[in-house]
Amino acid sequence: MNDIGFYYTHRRNRFERVVVFTLCVLCLTAIYAFAGPAPEMEQKLEAGLQELTGVRQAIGKEKLPMVKGLNALEDEVMIVRQEHQKVMRQLDSRNLDLNNLRSEIKTRKGEKSYISNLLGEYIRNFESRLHIAELDLYGDAIEAAVLAPDNTNLSDEEIFVQQTALVEASILRLQNVVGGTAFVGRAAGEDGMVKDGQFIVVGPVALFAATDGSMAGIAEQQLGSLEPTVMPFADPANAAMVAATVKQMQGDFPFDPSLGNARKIEETNETFKEHIRKGGMVAYVILGMFVLCVAVALVKWIQLALVPMPSEKAVQPVLRAMLENDYPTAAAEIGKLKGPTAAMLASGIDHIAEPKELVEEVMYEEMLTTRMSVNRLTPFLAVCASTAPLMGLLGTVTGIINTFKLITVFGSGDVKTLSGGISEALITTELGLVVAISALVLYAFLSRKAKSITDGMEQVAILFMNRATRTVAGSGAVS
């Protein structure tokens, strides 16, 4: 503490002592000033003590009843508190029960929604699994169960009753289908005529026989038809068997283990003519190109096969004569040969007295003529091999355009309506590739055969010129 603080503290303490001393003096002065005689004061004191004693006695007399009343009130308060605690416990229990009840209600609502969704899904699956012949039989129950959740006039219990009624009907159907169930209905034939008759459903198979006996067979669902369609049998005995089984409610009947898939696969089989017809105009053009390729290849193969090629044994006398400088004998031996090789050797022997370069040019001229002859028409096969895929692509584009036109008119729901354009798009590509591959193979085969002819001529020409060169060189050395 600094000096200033100590100074002010000392002054405050001094002031407080002065104030206390002054108050004490004033109190003593007041006591002596107002105090009466001593006896009078004792009397007042005695009277005050007596009054105090009376008050104490009165308090003692009133204290016991008041304590009893206080105890009674405390007991009453305790009872009230106990009742309050009991009520609070009951209230807490009721709140807990209410919360549990709310949770239970929420759980039950969730279960109700789950069961409702499960029943709705079951109804949809049940409808999709029904045979088309059974739709009229269970149509009313399905419609009532489907429309029940959206009907505001029905209670939850009534909705549940209608949905479970369909479940019971589905269970009964399973029991009946195992042994077979019969009911009246109608079906359409292949000609589109709808006739009344009777159905027998055994497992996944539905048999139908018209009442007038004009139609009997296995009923199936056809795309775009709302009525079951009776598929005819190739064997009339099968139709008679089905009619007898439906009439007598028992017997044998033909059964397709593939459930109609075998018939559908058989319907997809088509002849070559039908296959080409589906490809459209471009398919006929590609087919004509293929016919021309085959015709050209056949003519060219016959032409190349008829070209005579002298064997090595037949050429040896000519080469020996040239080696011996016996030109007349060589010319005679060349006359025995046939084909372009003989013509090439004949032109060479005719100009044997000329310079070597001239002889080579004359023989090369004959070889070029032969090469052009054997390679004639083969470029047509190469053109077809490169053009056929483009024609197939043209057919693909045309088929896709036709498909989009049909989609614009009929929509995309009916696949059969669109199958024409799709078939044209795919078949032309297939035919184009087939023609291109075939033409390419034929071109390679014929080109190889033509090259073997010219290679043989070139080999003979080289041997001929080698012998002629040795002869000339030998003659020069002798002279």
Side-chain angles (χ1 to χ4, degrees), residues 12-27:
R12 186 172 61 253
N13 293 337
R14 183 179 179 184
F15 178 75
E16 289 177 354
R17 288 195 296 271
V18 172
V19 170
V20 171
F21 177 76
T22 303
L23 289 176
C24 291
V25 172
L26 290 175
C27 289

Side-chain angles (χ1 to χ4, degrees), residues 238-451:
N238 292 330
M241 186 185 302
V242 171
T245 302
V246 174
K247 182 178 181 180
Q248 299 174 5
M249 298 295 178
Q250 62 179 359
D252 299 329
F253 61 90
F255 176 71
D256 182 8
S258 65
L259 300 180
N261 292 329
R263 183 191 298 272
K264 294 177 182 178
I265 293 174
E266 184 180 1
E267 290 177 353
T268 59
N269 296 332
E270 58 187 7
T271 62
F272 180 74
K273 185 177 180 179
E274 294 173 346
H275 191 69
I276 297 298
R277 188 184 299 113
K278 286 184 178 181
M281 184 60 65
V282 179
Y284 287 104
V285 175
I286 296 175
L287 183 61
M289 188 182 300
F290 178 75
V291 173
L292 289 177
C293 288
V294 173
V296 169
L298 183 61
V299 171
K300 195 63 184 177
W301 181 79
I302 294 174
Q303 178 187 356
L304 295 178
L306 295 178
V307 174
M309 290 295 297
S311 62
E312 184 178 354
K313 183 179 180 180
V315 177
Q316 286 299 325
V318 178
L319 298 178
R320 284 196 299 269
M322 291 296 298
L323 189 60
E324 296 174 358
N325 202 14
D326 190 358
Y327 298 133
T329 304
E333 294 293 336
I334 291 174
K336 298 178 181 178
L337 301 178
K338 296 180 180 180
T341 304
M344 179 187 66
L345 294 176
S347 63
I349 199 67
D350 291 339
H351 298 80
I352 193 63
E354 304 294 336
K356 174 186 175 183
E357 290 77 10
L358 179 62
V359 177
E360 289 180 351
E361 291 295 333
V362 170
M363 297 180 67
Y364 185 67
E365 181 180 354
E366 290 292 335
M367 190 167 59
L368 285 179
T369 303
T370 304
R371 180 176 296 175
M372 293 177 60
S373 176
V374 296
N375 287 328
R376 187 180 297 117
L377 297 179
T378 52
F380 176 78
L381 299 176
V383 171
C384 290
S386 59
T387 306
L390 298 178
M391 294 297 296
L393 181 60
L394 174 63
T396 300
V397 174
T398 305
I400 292 175
I401 292 174
N402 294 334
T403 302
F404 280 112
K405 287 182 180 179
L406 295 175
I407 290 176
T408 303
V409 177
F410 301 103
S412 58
D414 191 359
V415 179
K416 288 188 175 180
T417 307
L418 309 177
S419 61
I422 297 174
S423 298
E424 183 177 352
L426 298 179
I427 291 174
T428 53
T429 304
E430 174 196 9
L431 293 177
L433 292 176
V434 170
V435 173
I437 295 172
S438 302
L440 189 61
V441 172
L442 293 174
Y443 174 76
F445 173 75
L446 295 176
S447 297
R448 181 65 179 173
K449 189 171 183 61
K451 190 173 185 300

